[in-house]
């Protein structure tokens, strides 16, 4: 098993990426014939307009609102419609909400809502501009939806940008700081005794905070696009803002008799919890992740970085206005 894990780490540096060309196309029925065979992850043909106004909004609350929305959406049918309007706010960061709605006669699907969230957070990060804003998404020049960031009034008893401590505990092991947190099971999954859990060991190489959260967002989309597939070996390489992030995930044991194998849907839940954990500890580092079921290690993952040729990656945008 140790040799198997070493081989997986070697594959990490040469694994396939998460670009649209590396993923199977998804056939979708749409009123516009241009919107056929749309890939799961954004790439060529996708653009957006960004309009920033005031007031300013909290960066981490903006990021976590998007993560909450994406966690809610990624396991749905990506061709299904969002509806007239939907709003998400992360319960631990109530000061910012994201709203997705139709605009200009378009009907925003789950896929385009996810694309807009990824693009909007990336745009805010690269410009260091966290304000109330509206983003109009287009695919092959066709309007596909609108995403808005709004600031919510906060009462005196609520803390800004402070995650809850529920299900989180610290432990120190050697030079690494690790934490454990309970992992909610995916819908339809039955856990016999203990819940799924994960331990993260931070390594000694720092990551930019923006790269950390963009990696989490990409992983939500990459795992979510595969629904409830059994986890075997899964690669996802991302060209982030300042580095290329390489991740690999693999199962390391078979589930006990009568239990279901770990799925990519379980990984969606793990990644959403990981976002809270790294923010709680303010530790943005390369990491190893170990996933447990009923006290038995069933899967593990690794997140690594390497320099990005050419420097900072600029956002793909059609137009940006700032009030």
């Amino acid at each position: 098993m140790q040799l198997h894990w070493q081989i997986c780490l070697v594959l990490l540096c040469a694994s396939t990426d998460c670009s649209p060309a590396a993923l199977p196309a998804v056939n979708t029925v749409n009123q516009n014939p241009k919107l056929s065979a749309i890939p799961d992850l954004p790439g060529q043909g996708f653009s957006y307009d960004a309009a920033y106004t005031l007031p300013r909004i909290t960066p981490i609350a903006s990021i976590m609102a998007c993560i909450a929305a994406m966690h809610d959406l990624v396991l749905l049918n990506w061709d299904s419609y969002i509806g007239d309007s939907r709003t998400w706010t992360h319960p631990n960061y109530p000061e910012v909400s994201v709203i997705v709605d139709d605009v200009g006669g378009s009907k925003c699907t789950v896929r385009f809502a996810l694309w807009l969230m990824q693009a909007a957070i990336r745009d805010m990060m690269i410009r260091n501009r966290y304000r109330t804003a509206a983003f109009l998404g287009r695919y092959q020049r066709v309007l596909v939806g609108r995403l808005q960031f709004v600031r919510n009034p906060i009462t005196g008893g609520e803390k800004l940008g402070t995650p809850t401590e529920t299900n989180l505990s610290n432990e120190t092991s050697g030079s690494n700081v690790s934490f454990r947190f309970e992992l909610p099971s995916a819908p339809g999954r039955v856990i016999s005794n203990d819940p799924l859990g994960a331990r993260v060991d931070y390594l000694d190489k720092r990551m930019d905070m923006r790269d950390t959260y963009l990696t989490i967002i990409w992983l939500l989309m990459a795992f979510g696009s595969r629904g409830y597939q059994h986890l075997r070996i899964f690669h996802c390489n991302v060209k982030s803002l300042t580095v290329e992030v390489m991740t690999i995930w693999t199962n390391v044991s078979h589930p006990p008799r009568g239990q279901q194998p770990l799925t990519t849907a379980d990984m969606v839940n793990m990644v959403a919890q990981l976002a809270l954990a790294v923010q709680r500890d303010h530790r943005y580092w390369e990491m190893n992740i170990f996933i447990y079921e009923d006290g038995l290690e069933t899967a593990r993952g690794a997140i690594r970085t390497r320099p990005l040729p050419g420097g900072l990656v600029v956002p793909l945008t059609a137009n940006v206005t700032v009030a």
Side-chain angles (χ1 to χ4, degrees):
M1 188 60 64
Q2 181 66 28
L3 178 60
H4 173 66
W5 179 235
Q6 290 173 347
I7 292 173
C8 288
L9 285 178
V10 171
L11 288 173
L12 179 66
C13 295
S15 61
T16 56
D17 62 19
C18 288
S19 64
L23 294 172
V26 176
N27 293 322
T28 182
V29 177
N30 194 288
Q31 294 177 345
N32 191 312
K34 291 184 178 181
L35 306 184
S36 61
I38 304 175
D40 286 332
L41 302 184
Q44 295 296 326
F46 177 68
S47 63
Y48 60 91
D49 298 340
Y52 289 92
T53 58
L54 291 174
R56 300 181 186 277
I57 54 179
T58 310
I60 189 60
S62 309
I63 295 168
M64 298 304 275
C66 279
I67 289 176
M70 297 176 85
H71 184 210
D72 190 35
L73 292 174
V74 291
L75 293 177
L76 300 179
N77 179 350
W78 285 30
D79 294 321
S80 62
Y81 291 117
I82 292 291
D84 292 337
S85 178
R86 290 190 64 179
T87 302
W88 291 270
T89 304
H90 197 287
N92 294 346
Y93 300 87
E95 60 267 35
V96 175
S97 293
V98 293
I99 304 170
V100 174
D101 57 12
D102 300 331
V103 62
S106 68
K107 289 188 175 181
C108 187
T109 64
V110 169
R111 175 177 287 103
F112 292 132
L114 294 171
W115 288 17
L116 263 175
M117 291 175 195
Q118 187 269 350
I121 283 297
R122 190 171 179 273
D123 197 277
M124 286 182 168
M125 287 178 174
I126 202 168
R127 301 179 195 282
N128 193 28
R129 184 175 293 139
Y130 298 92
R131 302 183 182 183
T132 54
F135 294 80
L136 296 179
R138 290 184 172 83
Y139 185 68
Q140 296 183 2
R141 300 182 181 180
V142 178
L143 195 62
V144 294
R146 178 174 62 181
L147 171 67
Q148 299 178 78
F149 289 80
V150 298
R151 190 172 75 172
N152 300 320
I154 301 298
T155 62
E158 293 175 306
K159 296 180 180 179
L160 294 178
T162 303
T164 64
E165 301 290 330
T166 305
N167 295 333
L168 289 173
S169 61
N170 278 335
E171 64 178 41
T172 302
S173 175
S175 60
N176 295 328
V177 176
S178 303
F179 58 83
R180 297 177 185 272
F181 55 88
E182 290 185 355
L183 181 64
S185 59
R189 182 178 178 83
V190 178
I191 306 299
S192 62
N193 294 312
D194 299 328
L196 288 169
R199 190 189 82 237
V200 177
D201 290 346
Y202 297 109
L203 305 181
D204 59 358
K205 185 176 180 181
R206 291 181 180 271
M207 292 179 62
D208 189 294
M209 183 189 77
R210 299 170 300 174
D211 293 322
T212 302
Y213 285 115
L214 282 180
T215 299
I216 287 172
I217 286 172
W218 273 108
L219 286 172
L220 282 172
M221 292 196 296
F223 282 128
S225 67
R226 287 157 173 81
Y228 291 82
Q229 294 181 11
H230 293 167
L231 180 68
R232 294 181 175 86
I233 296 179
F234 185 93
H235 309 277
C236 183
N237 288 5
V238 177
K239 289 184 178 180
S240 189
L241 290 187
T242 66
V243 293
E244 182 177 5
V245 181
M246 303 159 291
T247 74
I248 186 170
W249 310 84
T250 179
N251 61 341
V252 296
S253 66
H254 297 290
R257 184 184 298 272
Q259 293 194 37
Q260 303 172 17
L262 198 69
T263 69
T264 47
D266 295 311
M267 300 301 292
V268 165
N269 283 331
M270 185 279 294
V271 170
Q273 293 289 327
L274 178 63
L276 269 179
V278 297
Q279 165 59 18
R280 196 284 308 265
D281 284 343
H282 298 287
R283 295 185 65 87
Y284 306 104
W285 305 72
E286 292 185 348
M287 61 188 76
N288 293 329
I289 302 172
F290 305 89
I291 299 171
Y292 296 89
E293 181 174 350
D294 293 335
L296 175 69
E297 182 186 345
T298 59
R300 57 180 63 172
I303 297 179
R304 302 289 188 272
T305 62
R306 62 185 175 193
L308 187 65
L312 195 69
V313 177
V314 298
L316 173 64
T317 177
N319 184 38
V320 175
T321 61
V322 181

